[in-house]
Coordinates of all heavy atoms in Angstrom, one line a residue:
Chain A
H56 N 15.6 -30.4 18.1 CA 16.8 -30.4 18.9 C 17.9 -31.3 18.3 O 17.6 -32.5 18.2 CB 16.5 -30.8 20.3 CG 17.7 -30.7 21.2 ND1 18.5 -29.6 21.3 CD2 18.2 -31.6 22.1 CE1 19.5 -29.8 22.1 NE2 19.3 -31.0 22.7
R57 N 19.0 -30.7 17.9 CA 20.0 -31.6 17.2 C 21.3 -31.6 18.1 O 22.4 -31.9 17.6 CB 20.3 -31.0 15.8 CG 19.2 -31.2 14.9 CD 19.2 -30.0 13.9 NE 19.0 -28.8 14.5 CZ 19.3 -27.6 14.0 NH1 19.8 -27.5 12.8 NH2 19.1 -26.5 14.7
A58 N 21.2 -31.2 19.3 CA 22.3 -31.3 20.3 C 23.5 -30.6 19.7 O 24.6 -31.1 19.7 CB 22.6 -32.8 20.6
Q59 N 23.3 -29.4 19.2 CA 24.5 -28.6 18.7 C 25.5 -28.4 19.7 O 26.7 -28.3 19.4 CB 24.0 -27.3 18.1 CG 23.2 -27.4 16.8 CD 24.0 -27.7 15.6 OE1 25.2 -27.8 15.7 NE2 23.4 -28.0 14.5
E60 N 25.1 -28.2 21.0 CA 26.1 -27.9 22.0 C 26.9 -29.1 22.3 O 28.1 -29.1 22.5 CB 25.4 -27.3 23.3 CG 24.8 -26.0 23.0 CD 23.9 -25.4 24.1 OE1 23.7 -26.2 25.1 OE2 23.5 -24.3 24.0
W61 N 26.3 -30.3 22.4 CA 26.9 -31.5 22.6 C 27.9 -31.8 21.4 O 29.1 -32.2 21.6 CB 25.9 -32.6 22.7 CG 26.5 -34.0 23.0 CD1 26.7 -34.5 24.2 CD2 26.9 -35.0 22.0 NE1 27.2 -35.8 24.1 CE2 27.3 -36.1 22.8 CE3 26.9 -35.1 20.7 CZ2 27.8 -37.2 22.2 CZ3 27.4 -36.2 20.1 CH2 27.8 -37.3 20.8
Q62 N 27.5 -31.5 20.2 CA 28.4 -31.7 19.1 C 29.6 -30.8 19.2 O 30.7 -31.2 18.8 CB 27.6 -31.4 17.8 CG 26.4 -32.2 17.6 CD 26.1 -32.6 16.2 OE1 27.0 -32.9 15.5 NE2 24.8 -32.6 15.9
G63 N 29.4 -29.6 19.7 CA 30.5 -28.7 19.9 C 31.6 -29.3 20.8 O 32.8 -29.0 20.7
Q64 N 31.2 -30.1 21.8 CA 32.1 -30.7 22.7 C 32.7 -32.0 22.1 O 33.7 -32.5 22.6 CB 31.4 -31.1 24.0 CG 30.8 -29.9 24.7 CD 30.0 -30.4 25.9 OE1 30.1 -31.5 26.3 NE2 29.2 -29.5 26.4
N65 N 32.2 -32.5 21.0 CA 32.7 -33.8 20.5 C 33.1 -33.7 19.0 O 33.4 -34.7 18.4 CB 31.5 -34.8 20.6 CG 31.3 -35.1 22.0 OD1 32.0 -35.9 22.6 ND2 30.3 -34.5 22.6
R66 N 33.2 -32.5 18.4 CA 33.7 -32.3 17.1 C 34.9 -31.4 17.2 O 34.9 -30.5 18.1 CB 32.6 -31.7 16.2 CG 31.4 -32.5 16.0 CD 31.6 -33.7 15.0 NE 30.4 -34.4 14.8 CZ 30.0 -35.4 15.6 NH1 30.7 -35.8 16.6 NH2 28.9 -36.1 15.4
T67 N 35.8 -31.5 16.3 CA 36.9 -30.6 16.3 C 36.4 -29.2 15.9 O 35.4 -29.1 15.3 CB 38.0 -31.0 15.4 OG1 37.5 -31.0 14.1 CG2 38.5 -32.4 15.7
W68 N 37.2 -28.2 16.2 CA 36.8 -26.8 15.9 C 36.5 -26.8 14.4 O 35.6 -26.1 13.9 CB 37.9 -25.9 16.2 CG 38.1 -25.6 17.7 CD1 39.1 -26.1 18.5 CD2 37.2 -24.9 18.5 NE1 38.9 -25.7 19.8 CE2 37.7 -25.0 19.8 CE3 36.0 -24.2 18.3 CZ2 37.1 -24.4 20.9 CZ3 35.4 -23.6 19.4 CH2 36.0 -23.7 20.7
F69 N 37.4 -27.4 13.6 CA 37.3 -27.3 12.1 C 36.0 -27.9 11.7 O 35.3 -27.4 10.8 CB 38.5 -28.0 11.5 CG 38.6 -27.9 10.0 CD1 38.7 -26.7 9.4 CD2 38.5 -29.0 9.2 CE1 38.7 -26.5 8.1 CE2 38.5 -28.9 7.8 CZ 38.6 -27.7 7.3
Q70 N 35.6 -29.1 12.3 CA 34.3 -29.7 11.9 C 33.2 -28.8 12.4 O 32.2 -28.7 11.7 CB 34.2 -31.1 12.5 CG 35.1 -32.1 11.9 CD 35.0 -33.4 12.8 OE1 35.0 -33.4 14.0 NE2 35.1 -34.5 12.1
Y71 N 33.3 -28.3 13.6 CA 32.2 -27.7 14.2 C 31.8 -26.4 13.5 O 30.6 -26.0 13.4 CB 32.4 -27.4 15.7 CG 31.2 -27.0 16.4 CD1 30.0 -27.7 16.4 CD2 31.2 -25.8 17.2 CE1 28.9 -27.3 17.0 CE2 30.1 -25.4 17.9 CZ 28.9 -26.2 17.8 OH 27.8 -25.8 18.4
Q72 N 32.8 -25.7 13.0 CA 32.5 -24.4 12.4 C 31.7 -24.6 11.1 O 31.0 -23.7 10.6 CB 33.7 -23.5 12.2 CG 34.7 -24.1 11.2 CD 35.9 -23.2 11.0 OE1 35.9 -22.1 11.6 NE2 36.9 -23.6 10.3
A73 N 31.8 -25.8 10.5 CA 30.9 -26.1 9.4 C 29.5 -26.5 9.8 O 28.6 -26.3 9.0 CB 31.5 -27.2 8.5
L74 N 29.4 -27.0 11.0 CA 28.1 -27.4 11.5 C 27.1 -26.3 11.9 O 25.9 -26.4 11.7 CB 28.3 -28.4 12.7 CG 28.3 -29.9 12.4 CD1 28.4 -30.5 13.8 CD2 27.0 -30.3 11.8
I75 N 27.7 -25.3 12.5 CA 26.9 -24.3 13.2 C 26.1 -23.4 12.2 O 25.2 -22.7 12.7 CB 27.6 -23.4 14.2 CG1 29.0 -23.1 13.6 CG2 27.8 -24.1 15.5 CD1 29.2 -21.7 13.4
D76 N 26.3 -23.4 10.9 CA 25.4 -22.7 10.0 C 24.0 -23.3 10.1 O 23.1 -22.6 9.8 CB 25.9 -22.9 8.6 CG 27.2 -22.1 8.3 OD1 27.0 -20.9 8.1 OD2 28.3 -22.7 8.3
V78 N 22.4 -24.0 12.7 CA 21.7 -23.5 13.9 C 20.6 -22.6 13.5 O 19.4 -22.8 13.9 CB 22.6 -22.8 14.9 CG1 21.8 -22.2 16.0 CG2 23.6 -23.9 15.5
T86 N 25.7 -17.1 12.8 CA 26.0 -18.1 13.8 C 27.5 -18.4 13.6 O 28.3 -18.6 14.6 CB 25.2 -19.4 13.6 OG1 24.9 -19.6 12.2 CG2 23.9 -19.3 14.4
S87 N 28.0 -18.5 12.3 CA 29.4 -18.7 12.1 C 30.2 -17.6 12.8 O 31.2 -17.8 13.5 CB 29.8 -18.6 10.6 OG 29.1 -19.6 10.0
A89 N 29.4 -15.5 15.3 CA 29.4 -15.5 16.7 C 30.4 -16.5 17.2 O 31.2 -16.2 18.1 CB 28.0 -15.8 17.2
L90 N 30.4 -17.7 16.7 CA 31.4 -18.7 17.1 C 32.8 -18.2 16.9 O 33.6 -18.3 17.8 CB 31.1 -20.0 16.4 CG 32.1 -21.1 16.7 CD1 31.7 -21.9 17.9 CD2 32.4 -22.1 15.6
C91 N 33.0 -17.7 15.7 CA 34.4 -17.3 15.3 C 34.8 -16.1 16.2 O 36.0 -16.1 16.7 CB 34.5 -16.9 13.9 SG 34.2 -18.2 12.8
R92 N 33.9 -15.2 16.5 CA 34.3 -14.1 17.4 C 34.7 -14.6 18.8 O 35.6 -14.1 19.3 CB 33.1 -13.1 17.5 CG 33.1 -12.1 16.3 CD 32.3 -10.9 16.7 NE 33.1 -10.1 17.7 CZ 32.5 -9.5 18.7 NH1 31.3 -9.6 18.9 NH2 33.3 -8.8 19.6
A93 N 33.9 -15.5 19.3 CA 34.2 -16.0 20.6 C 35.5 -16.7 20.6 O 36.4 -16.5 21.5 CB 33.0 -16.9 21.1
A94 N 35.7 -17.6 19.6 CA 36.9 -18.3 19.6 C 38.1 -17.4 19.4 O 39.2 -17.6 20.0 CB 36.9 -19.3 18.4
E95 N 38.0 -16.4 18.5 CA 39.1 -15.5 18.3 C 39.4 -14.6 19.5 O 40.5 -14.3 19.7 CB 38.7 -14.6 17.1 CG 38.8 -15.3 15.7 CD 37.9 -14.7 14.7 OE1 37.3 -13.7 14.9 OE2 37.8 -15.3 13.6
I97 N 39.1 -15.5 22.6 CA 39.8 -16.4 23.5 C 41.2 -16.6 23.0 O 42.2 -16.5 23.8 CB 39.1 -17.7 23.7 CG1 37.7 -17.5 24.3 CG2 39.9 -18.6 24.6 CD1 36.9 -18.7 24.3
I169 N 37.2 -19.3 11.6 CA 38.1 -18.8 12.7 C 39.4 -18.3 12.1 O 40.1 -19.1 11.5 CB 38.3 -20.0 13.8 CG1 37.0 -20.4 14.4 CG2 39.3 -19.5 14.8 CD1 37.1 -21.6 15.3
L333 N 43.2 -27.3 13.8 CA 42.8 -26.0 14.3 C 42.6 -26.0 15.8 O 41.8 -26.9 16.3 CB 41.6 -25.5 13.6 CG 41.1 -24.2 13.9 CD1 42.0 -23.1 13.3 CD2 39.7 -24.0 13.2
I335 N 42.2 -23.8 19.7 CA 42.0 -22.5 20.4 C 42.6 -22.6 21.7 O 42.6 -23.6 22.4 CB 40.5 -22.3 20.5 CG1 39.7 -22.3 19.2 CG2 40.2 -21.0 21.2 CD1 40.2 -21.2 18.2
K336 N 43.3 -21.4 22.1 CA 44.0 -21.4 23.4 C 43.0 -21.7 24.6 O 41.8 -21.4 24.4 CB 44.6 -20.1 23.6 CG 45.9 -19.9 22.8 CD 46.4 -18.5 23.0 CE 47.5 -18.2 22.0 NZ 47.6 -16.7 21.7
G338 N 40.8 -21.0 27.8 CA 40.2 -19.8 28.3 C 38.7 -19.9 28.1 O 38.2 -20.8 27.6
E339 N 38.0 -18.8 28.6 CA 36.6 -18.8 28.4 C 36.2 -17.4 28.0 O 36.8 -16.4 28.4 CB 35.9 -19.3 29.6 CG 36.0 -18.4 30.8 CD 35.0 -18.7 31.9 OE1 35.4 -19.6 32.8 OE2 33.9 -18.2 32.0
G340 N 35.2 -17.3 27.2 CA 34.7 -16.0 26.7 C 33.4 -16.1 26.1 O 32.9 -17.2 25.7
F341 N 32.7 -14.9 26.1 CA 31.4 -14.8 25.5 C 31.5 -13.7 24.5 O 32.0 -12.7 24.7 CB 30.4 -14.5 26.6 CG 29.0 -14.3 26.1 CD1 28.1 -15.4 26.1 CD2 28.5 -13.1 25.7 CE1 26.8 -15.3 25.7 CE2 27.2 -13.0 25.2 CZ 26.4 -14.1 25.2
A342 N 31.0 -14.0 23.3 CA 30.9 -13.0 22.2 C 29.6 -13.1 21.6 O 29.0 -14.1 21.5 CB 32.0 -13.2 21.2
L351 N 22.9 -12.7 19.1 CA 23.3 -14.1 19.0 C 24.6 -14.3 19.7 O 25.6 -13.8 19.2 CB 23.3 -14.5 17.5 CG 23.8 -15.9 17.2 CD1 22.9 -16.9 17.8 CD2 23.9 -16.1 15.7
G352 N 24.6 -14.9 20.8 CA 25.8 -15.0 21.6 C 26.3 -16.5 21.6 O 25.6 -17.4 21.4
C353 N 27.6 -16.6 21.9 CA 28.3 -17.9 22.0 C 29.2 -17.8 23.2 O 30.1 -17.0 23.3 CB 29.0 -18.2 20.7 SG 29.8 -19.8 20.7
Y354 N 29.0 -18.7 24.1 CA 29.9 -18.8 25.3 C 30.7 -20.1 25.2 O 30.2 -21.2 25.1 CB 29.0 -18.9 26.6 CG 29.7 -19.1 27.9 CD1 30.8 -18.3 28.2 CD2 29.3 -20.1 28.8 CE1 31.4 -18.5 29.4 CE2 29.9 -20.3 30.0 CZ 31.0 -19.5 30.3 OH 31.7 -19.7 31.5
I355 N 32.1 -19.8 25.2 CA 32.9 -21.0 24.9 C 33.9 -21.1 26.1 O 34.4 -20.2 26.6 CB 33.8 -20.7 23.7 CG1 32.9 -20.7 22.4 CG2 34.9 -21.8 23.5 CD1 33.7 -20.5 21.2
I356 N 34.0 -22.4 26.6 CA 35.1 -22.7 27.5 C 36.0 -23.6 26.8 O 35.6 -24.7 26.3 CB 34.6 -23.3 28.8 CG1 33.6 -22.4 29.5 CG2 35.7 -23.7 29.7 CD1 33.0 -23.0 30.7
S357 N 37.3 -23.2 26.6 CA 38.2 -24.0 25.9 C 39.3 -24.4 26.8 O 39.7 -23.7 27.7 CB 38.8 -23.2 24.7 OG 39.9 -23.9 24.1
T358 N 39.8 -25.6 26.6 CA 41.0 -26.1 27.4 C 42.2 -26.2 26.6 O 43.2 -26.8 26.9 CB 40.6 -27.4 28.1 OG1 40.1 -28.3 27.1 CG2 39.6 -27.3 29.2
G359 N 42.2 -25.7 25.4 CA 43.3 -25.7 24.5 C 43.4 -26.9 23.6 O 44.3 -27.1 22.8
G360 N 42.4 -27.8 23.8 CA 42.4 -29.0 22.9 C 41.8 -28.7 21.5 O 41.5 -27.5 21.2
D361 N 41.6 -29.7 20.8 CA 41.0 -29.5 19.5 C 39.5 -29.5 19.5 O 38.8 -29.2 18.5 CB 41.5 -30.6 18.5 CG 41.1 -32.0 19.0 OD1 40.6 -32.1 20.1 OD2 41.4 -32.9 18.2
T362 N 38.9 -29.7 20.7 CA 37.4 -29.5 20.8 C 37.2 -28.5 21.9 O 38.1 -28.2 22.7 CB 36.7 -30.8 21.1 OG1 37.1 -31.2 22.4 CG2 36.9 -31.8 20.1
A363 N 36.0 -28.0 22.0 CA 35.6 -27.1 23.1 C 35.3 -27.9 24.4 O 34.9 -29.1 24.3 CB 34.5 -26.3 22.7
Y364 N 35.5 -27.3 25.5 CA 35.1 -28.0 26.8 C 33.6 -27.8 26.9 O 32.9 -28.8 27.3 CB 35.9 -27.4 28.0 CG 35.6 -28.1 29.3 CD1 36.2 -29.3 29.6 CD2 34.6 -27.6 30.1 CE1 35.9 -29.9 30.8 CE2 34.3 -28.3 31.3 CZ 35.0 -29.4 31.6 OH 34.7 -30.1 32.8
R365 N 33.1 -26.6 26.7 CA 31.7 -26.4 26.7 C 31.4 -25.3 25.8 O 32.1 -24.3 25.7 CB 31.3 -26.0 28.2 CG 29.9 -25.5 28.3 CD 28.9 -26.7 28.5 NE 27.6 -26.2 29.0 CZ 26.6 -26.0 28.2 NH1 26.7 -26.1 26.9 NH2 25.4 -25.6 28.7
I366 N 30.3 -25.4 25.0 CA 29.8 -24.3 24.2 C 28.4 -24.1 24.5 O 27.6 -25.1 24.6 CB 30.0 -24.7 22.7 CG1 31.4 -24.6 22.2 CG2 29.1 -23.7 21.8 CD1 31.6 -24.8 20.8
K367 N 28.0 -22.9 24.8 CA 26.6 -22.6 25.1 C 26.2 -21.5 24.1 O 26.9 -20.5 24.0 CB 26.5 -22.1 26.5 CG 25.4 -21.2 26.8 CD 24.1 -21.9 27.1 CE 23.0 -20.8 27.2 NZ 21.7 -21.4 27.4
W368 N 25.1 -21.8 23.4 CA 24.6 -20.8 22.5 C 23.5 -20.0 23.2 O 22.7 -20.5 23.9 CB 24.0 -21.5 21.3 CG 25.0 -22.0 20.4 CD1 25.6 -23.2 20.3 CD2 25.7 -21.2 19.4 NE1 26.5 -23.3 19.3 CE2 26.7 -22.0 18.8 CE3 25.7 -19.9 19.0 CZ2 27.5 -21.6 17.8 CZ3 26.5 -19.4 18.0 CH2 27.4 -20.3 17.4
R369 N 23.6 -18.7 22.9 CA 22.5 -17.8 23.4 C 21.8 -17.3 22.1 O 22.3 -16.5 21.4 CB 23.2 -16.6 24.1 CG 22.2 -15.7 24.9 CD 21.6 -14.6 24.0 NE 20.5 -14.0 24.8 CZ 19.6 -13.3 24.2 NH1 19.5 -13.2 22.9 NH2 18.7 -12.7 25.0
N370 N 20.7 -18.0 21.9 CA 20.0 -17.8 20.6 C 18.9 -16.7 20.8 O 18.1 -16.8 21.7 CB 19.4 -19.0 20.1 CG 20.5 -20.0 19.8 OD1 21.1 -20.6 20.7 ND2 20.7 -20.3 18.6
D406 N 15.6 -24.5 18.9 CA 15.9 -25.8 19.4 C 17.3 -26.2 19.3 O 17.8 -27.1 20.1 CB 15.1 -26.8 18.6 CG 13.6 -26.6 18.8 OD1 13.2 -25.9 19.8 OD2 12.8 -27.1 18.0
R407 N 18.1 -25.6 18.5 CA 19.5 -25.9 18.3 C 19.8 -27.4 17.9 O 20.0 -28.2 18.8 CB 20.3 -25.5 19.4 CG 20.1 -24.0 19.8 CD 21.1 -23.5 20.7 NE 20.9 -23.8 22.0 CZ 19.9 -23.4 22.8 NH1 19.0 -22.5 22.3 NH2 19.8 -23.7 24.0
Chain C
M1 N 40.2 -35.6 26.2 CA 39.9 -34.3 26.8 C 40.9 -34.1 28.0 O 40.9 -34.9 28.9 CB 38.5 -34.2 27.3 CG 38.1 -32.9 27.8 SD 38.4 -31.5 26.7 CE 37.5 -32.1 25.3
H5 N 41.7 -27.3 33.6 CA 40.6 -26.3 33.2 C 41.1 -25.0 33.8 O 41.3 -24.8 34.9 CB 39.3 -26.8 33.8 CG 38.2 -25.9 33.5 ND1 38.1 -25.1 32.4 CD2 37.1 -25.6 34.2 CE1 37.0 -24.4 32.4 NE2 36.4 -24.7 33.5
S71 N 22.3 -14.7 29.1 CA 22.1 -16.2 29.1 C 22.4 -16.8 30.4 O 23.1 -16.2 31.3 CB 23.0 -16.8 28.0 OG 24.3 -17.1 28.5
V72 N 21.9 -17.9 30.7 CA 22.2 -18.8 31.8 C 22.8 -20.1 31.3 O 22.1 -20.8 30.6 CB 21.0 -19.0 32.7 CG1 21.4 -19.9 33.9 CG2 20.3 -17.8 33.1
A73 N 24.0 -20.3 31.6 CA 24.7 -21.5 31.1 C 25.0 -22.4 32.2 O 25.4 -22.0 33.3 CB 26.0 -21.1 30.3
G74 N 24.9 -23.7 32.0 CA 25.3 -24.7 33.0 C 26.6 -25.3 32.5 O 26.8 -25.6 31.3
V75 N 27.6 -25.4 33.4 CA 28.8 -26.1 33.0 C 29.2 -27.2 34.0 O 29.1 -27.0 35.2 CB 30.0 -25.0 33.0 CG1 31.3 -25.7 32.5 CG2 29.6 -23.8 32.1
D76 N 29.5 -28.3 33.4 CA 29.9 -29.4 34.2 C 31.4 -29.4 34.3 O 32.1 -30.0 33.5 CB 29.4 -30.7 33.6 CG 29.8 -32.0 34.4 OD1 30.4 -31.8 35.5 OD2 29.6 -33.1 33.9
S77 N 32.0 -28.6 35.3 CA 33.4 -28.5 35.4 C 34.0 -29.7 36.1 O 33.2 -30.5 36.7 CB 33.7 -27.2 36.2 OG 33.4 -26.1 35.5
V84 N 26.3 -20.3 35.1 CA 27.0 -19.1 34.7 C 26.0 -18.1 34.2 O 25.2 -18.4 33.3 CB 28.1 -19.4 33.6 CG1 28.8 -18.1 33.3 CG2 29.0 -20.5 34.1
H86 N 25.4 -14.5 32.3 CA 26.0 -13.3 31.6 C 25.1 -12.2 31.7 O 23.9 -12.2 31.3 CB 26.2 -13.7 30.2 CG 27.4 -14.7 30.0 ND1 28.7 -14.3 29.8 CD2 27.4 -16.0 30.0 CE1 29.4 -15.3 29.7 NE2 28.7 -16.4 29.8
H128 N 16.0 -20.3 30.1 CA 17.4 -20.6 30.1 C 17.6 -21.6 31.3 O 18.4 -22.5 31.2 CB 18.2 -19.4 30.3 CG 18.4 -18.6 29.0 ND1 19.3 -18.9 28.0 CD2 17.7 -17.5 28.5 CE1 19.2 -18.1 27.0 NE2 18.3 -17.3 27.3
E131 N 16.4 -24.9 30.3 CA 17.4 -25.6 29.4 C 18.6 -26.1 30.2 O 19.0 -27.3 29.9 CB 17.8 -24.5 28.4 CG 18.7 -25.1 27.3 CD 19.5 -24.1 26.6 OE1 19.0 -23.0 26.4 OE2 20.7 -24.4 26.3
T132 N 19.1 -25.4 31.1 CA 20.2 -25.8 31.9 C 19.9 -27.0 32.7 O 20.6 -28.0 32.8 CB 20.7 -24.7 32.8 OG1 20.9 -23.5 31.9 CG2 22.0 -25.1 33.4
L135 N 19.7 -30.0 30.2 CA 20.9 -30.5 29.5 C 22.1 -30.7 30.5 O 22.9 -31.7 30.3 CB 21.4 -29.4 28.5 CG 20.5 -29.1 27.4 CD1 21.1 -28.1 26.4 CD2 20.1 -30.4 26.6
V136 N 22.2 -29.9 31.6 CA 23.3 -30.1 32.5 C 22.9 -30.7 33.8 O 23.7 -31.2 34.6 CB 24.0 -28.8 32.7 CG1 25.3 -28.9 33.4 CG2 24.3 -28.1 31.4
L150 N 14.2 -28.8 25.9 CA 14.7 -29.2 24.6 C 14.5 -30.7 24.3 O 14.2 -31.2 23.2 CB 16.1 -28.8 24.4 CG 16.4 -27.3 24.3 CD1 17.9 -27.0 24.1 CD2 15.6 -26.7 23.2
P159 N 22.2 -34.6 29.1 CA 23.2 -34.9 28.0 C 24.5 -34.2 28.1 O 25.5 -34.7 27.5 CB 22.4 -34.6 26.7 CG 21.0 -34.6 27.1 CD 20.9 -34.2 28.5
L160 N 24.5 -33.0 28.7 CA 25.8 -32.2 28.6 C 26.7 -32.5 29.9 O 27.7 -31.8 30.1 CB 25.5 -30.7 28.5 CG 25.0 -30.4 27.0 CD1 24.9 -28.9 26.9 CD2 26.0 -30.9 26.0
R161 N 26.3 -33.4 30.7 CA 27.2 -33.9 31.8 C 28.3 -34.6 31.1 O 28.2 -35.4 30.1 CB 26.4 -34.9 32.7 CG 25.4 -34.2 33.6 CD 26.0 -33.7 34.8 NE 25.1 -33.1 35.7 CZ 24.5 -33.8 36.7 NH1 24.7 -35.1 36.9 NH2 23.6 -33.2 37.5
R162 N 29.5 -34.5 31.7 CA 30.7 -35.1 31.0 C 30.6 -36.7 31.2 O 31.2 -37.4 30.3 CB 32.0 -34.7 31.7 CG 32.2 -33.2 31.7 CD 32.2 -32.6 30.3 NE 33.4 -33.0 29.5 CZ 33.7 -32.4 28.4 NH1 33.0 -31.3 27.9 NH2 34.7 -32.8 27.7

Side-chain angles (χ1 to χ4, degrees):
Chain A
H56 182 48
R57 292 148 298 163
Q59 288 287 356
E60 292 170 356
W61 184 88
Q62 305 218 35
Q64 300 173 14
N65 292 279
R66 299 280 182 275
T67 63
W68 289 107
F69 185 61
Q70 288 172 321
Y71 190 53
Q72 65 179 357
L74 263 183
I75 36 115
D76 288 280
V78 170
T86 34
S87 299
L90 177 86
C91 294
R92 278 202 67 221
E95 286 153 5
I97 299 169
I169 298 172
L333 185 66
I335 301 299
K336 284 178 195 152
E339 65 170 89
F341 181 91
L351 176 60
C353 181
Y354 174 51
I355 294 180
I356 301 177
S357 168
T358 50
D361 57 354
T362 64
Y364 184 82
R365 172 85 167 96
I366 287 185
K367 152 85 186 174
W368 284 96
R369 191 272 175 202
N370 298 69
D406 296 341
R407 306 195 282 289
Chain C
M1 182 55 56
H5 178 28
S71 84
V72 181
V75 183
D76 181 6
S77 295
V84 185
H86 289 269
H128 283 278
E131 185 200 325
T132 308
L135 299 179
V136 191
L150 292 179
L160 288 185
R161 289 273 181 94
R162 303 303 292 192

